[in-house]
Amino acid sequence: MNANTDLTGAPLPPEDSNSATITGATTQKPTTALFPNGSRRERPGTLALTIGFGLVAVCLIGLFTSPSAAIGGAWCIGMMLVLLFLSVPVAIALSVPSIIGVYAVSGIPATMNILSTAPFSAVSDWSMSVLPMFIFMGMLLTQSGLSGKVYRVADYWFSWLPGGIGIGTTFAGAGLSAVTGSTIGMTYALGRAGIPEMLKAGYDRRMAVGTIMVSGMTGNLIPPSILMVVYAGIASVPVGPALMAGAVPGILLAVCFAAFIFAIGIIAPKLVGRGQNAHTPAANNATTTDATRPTTTWRDRFTSLTAVWGFAVILVVLFGGMFSGIFTPTEAGAAAALCSLLLCLWEKRGEQPWRKVADSAMDTVAATSAIFFIMIGATMLTSLLAITGLAPILTGLITDLGLSTIGFLLVLIVLYIVMGMFFDTLSMMLLTIPILLPTLETMGVSPLWFGVFVVLLGEFAMVTPPVGIIPYIVHSIAKNPEVNLGATVTLRDIFISLMWFLPVVVIFLILMVAVPGMTEWLPDLISRTSGGMSG
């Protein structure tokens, strides 16, 4: 994988691509990037490769000359980090050092045992079958053209509020990134549609780009969240409760962003195109004369809902089935995927619908295979930590620091933001969760709560300047004249806009630490009403 591809190996959209347009003005095939790598680096050059392989050689020498198994395990962790920095695929970066480490510490029998058992044990749990169902559902909904319809509905229903277009964009982004499983893919699509719409309405350019950057942060918390399913597999927690644990925090964070934009619309209306001093396209250095938007009536709002009836049906099947106890999460995922298949066939009738279904199926197989290979690598890493005894040593070191639970979590916030300079959310999860879980147990931190916490931290790292990848993606989108309408959006504007929005995330993280029950309320409720939802 590299900076230009996702986990499936498909190319990410180019910065001047029109294929991501969400407004329906184009009929080109939309580009989806499920679980993009999010790397900020191009392929390593000759010098980087030379240094990297030199460091790998040093790690190997240190491993085979280590005086203890724990030190050998530490050398293996170092080798993993070097491989990840070299943009080696995550599955290989996790599994190869683990296999070599087990061989160095315990010999051939233990190595053969891991090679024969880890691939099966990592992905054979029945609850993991929900993963391809959710991915298939997202692919089909994207192929069916749902993206543009969801955005238009959100725009219609919230545009009358102060900051209403931004509020609608926030909720549309949350819904789209939840369905597609890709924050980056959603950012490409929504950025091309939302930025020009907000600029036409007189939004300050910083407000427009800031709204786009944070609108997808909640998508990997709200079910169906593929990252939460992956976390459940790594942490060995039931998939159903893990999925539901992120729903309330994800929705609350989206509401917090919407409330912030609404407050801006009241306090500083000119930033959202209201008031006598409101920004106009001319004030944004735009050359277009289209400074007005058509008036939306309540009839238009209710009529727009008919375009997303299929999405509503899928939500009823997914959540209603789990709440009622008719479906387990795995069965609900399968039923929702079936509904998405029927919806795609209906929406694309006359446009070779079976070709779109076949494309979705192939993309699903590729994405699922990539994720399963990564989970196998994570299982091998867990085995390495157990065999070398490194996990209890790390737990003891952290415990000996005398940090309170809150202090430990604050340290993790800083750690993940720093890791966000180099890794995407999935890589950070797979590298840290096997190491941190034993410590969490000693500190009494709920695995469900920590899953939501770590996914949100990963998304936070991706938008944090100056190293998060999302700001640079939005900046590249905003360079397109069709998007900026002639306005000049600098990288400084991007960073200033994030300084407005990111305090909302920090406050929400503090709220999560102070009120951990928000993550377990919904899983407990469903468990009581449906009699359990482990599968």
Side-chain angles (χ1 to χ4, degrees):
M1 293 182 292
N2 56 63
N4 301 315
T5 59
D6 61 18
L7 277 185
T8 68
L12 291 175
E15 61 184 51
D16 62 346
S17 171
N18 289 324
S19 61
T21 300
I22 205 172
T23 57
T26 178
T27 58
Q28 296 181 27
K29 179 182 176 180
T31 303
T32 24
L34 187 68
F35 276 128
N37 178 284
S39 172
R40 293 145 193 81
R41 297 156 284 122
E42 300 294 335
R43 290 186 182 274
T46 303
L47 178 61
L49 287 173
T50 302
I51 295 174
F53 284 117
L55 292 175
V56 169
V58 170
C59 291
L60 287 171
I61 294 172
L63 169 61
F64 284 97
T65 59
S66 297
S68 68
I71 295 177
W75 281 111
C76 290
I77 299 297
M79 195 188 314
M80 290 178 194
L81 293 174
V82 172
L83 292 176
L84 287 170
F85 277 114
L86 291 175
S87 296
V88 172
V90 177
I92 296 176
L94 291 175
S95 58
V96 170
S98 298
I99 294 171
I100 296 174
V102 171
Y103 170 75
V105 172
S106 300
I108 293 179
T111 306
M112 296 302 297
N113 181 61
I114 288 180
L115 289 173
S116 61
T117 60
F120 181 79
S121 62
V123 299
S124 62
D125 190 280
W126 168 247
S127 62
M128 286 297 101
S129 61
V130 74
L131 188 62
M133 295 296 100
F134 281 164
I135 294 174
F136 191 43
M137 178 179 68
M139 296 289 184
L140 288 168
L141 291 178
T142 302
Q143 291 281 2
S144 67
L146 178 75
S147 301
K149 296 175 183 178
V150 169
Y151 179 76
R152 286 192 292 274
V153 169
D155 185 16
Y156 282 169
W157 277 89
F158 294 103
S159 59
W160 62 278
L161 291 168
I165 303 175
I167 294 172
T169 300
T170 297
F171 287 124
L176 293 175
S177 57
V179 169
T180 63
S182 172
T183 304
I184 294 178
M186 184 285 307
T187 301
Y188 272 105
L190 201 60
R192 294 189 59 84
I195 292 175
E197 288 300 312
M198 285 184 272
L199 291 178
K200 286 178 184 178
Y203 275 56
D204 183 276
R205 60 188 181 278
R206 293 164 295 185
M207 199 70 191
V209 296
T211 301
I212 295 297
M213 283 186 283
V214 300
S215 60
M217 286 186 65
T218 60
N220 279 312
L221 296 176
I222 302 172
S225 169
I226 298 173
L227 283 180
M228 291 303 298
V229 175
V230 173
Y231 172 82
I234 302 170
S236 299
V237 298
V239 171
L243 281 170
M244 293 299 105
V248 172
I251 294 172
L252 285 178
L253 182 56
V255 170
C256 287
F257 284 134
F260 174 75
I261 296 172
F262 179 82
I264 292 295
I266 299 296
I267 299 170
K270 67 178 183 178
L271 294 179
V272 295
R274 290 183 171 235
Q276 293 181 351
N277 298 320
H279 289 263
T280 64
N284 281 307
N285 299 323
T287 57
T288 181
T289 59
D290 183 11
T292 60
R293 284 165 51 88
T295 302
T296 302
T297 66
W298 284 101
R299 179 191 180 108
D300 294 331
R301 294 186 179 100
F302 283 105
T303 302
S304 70
L305 294 176
T306 59
V308 293
W309 63 269
F311 188 47
V313 170
I314 291 171
L315 291 179
V316 170
V317 171
L318 188 63
F319 292 105
M322 286 190 284
F323 267 107
S324 64
I326 297 175
F327 297 139
T328 65
T330 303
E331 294 165 346
L338 175 61
C339 292
S340 301
L341 171 62
L342 298 176
L343 176 65
C344 184
L345 292 175
W346 173 258
E347 292 289 343
K348 295 300 177 181
R349 60 192 184 279
E351 300 179 34
Q352 295 184 319
W354 287 109
R355 170 66 66 86
K356 298 185 181 298
V357 171
D359 290 342
S360 298
M362 292 298 294
D363 290 341
T364 299
V365 171
T368 304
S369 301
I371 295 171
F372 278 178
F373 274 117
I374 292 172
M375 293 180 66
I376 291 170
T379 300
M380 292 180 175
L381 173 60
T382 303
S383 300
L384 172 73
L385 295 175
I387 291 175
T388 60
L390 192 59
I393 291 176
L394 292 174
T395 300
L397 289 175
I398 296 173
T399 304
D400 291 342
L401 293 176
L403 295 174
S404 64
T405 301
I406 293 179
F408 173 67
L409 295 175
L410 293 176
V411 170
L412 283 185
I413 292 176
V414 177
L415 172 66
Y416 272 90
I417 291 176
V418 173
M419 291 184 68
M421 299 179 185
F422 311 105
F423 307 127
D424 59 278
T425 305
L426 183 61
S427 300
M428 289 188 286
M429 288 173 55
L430 293 166
L431 189 61
T432 58
I433 290 171
I435 298 174
L436 293 174
L437 277 178
T439 304
L440 296 173
E441 293 175 2
T442 62
M443 292 190 169
V445 177
S446 165
L448 289 180
W449 180 91
F450 184 69
V452 178
F453 186 70
V454 74
V455 169
L456 180 55
L457 277 179
E459 296 296 299
F460 182 50
M462 290 182 68
V463 299
T464 304
V467 292
I469 188 174
I470 296 296
Y472 298 100
I473 289 176
V474 173
H475 183 236
S476 70
I477 296 170
K479 291 178 181 178
N480 191 319
E482 295 180 3
V483 174
N484 61 39
L485 304 182
T488 300
V489 181
T490 66
L491 200 57
R492 182 174 180 270
D493 293 329
I494 298 285
F495 288 164
I496 289 175
S497 69
L498 285 172
M499 293 302 101
W500 297 351
F501 281 90
L502 290 187
V504 177
V505 188
V506 174
I507 294 171
F508 189 81
L509 284 169
I510 296 172
L511 180 64
M512 276 192 63
V513 174
V515 190
M518 74 166 68
T519 62
E520 298 187 2
W521 172 78
L522 186 58
D524 290 343
L525 175 63
I526 297 180
S527 181
R528 291 194 302 269
T529 57
S530 66
M533 56 169 183
S534 60

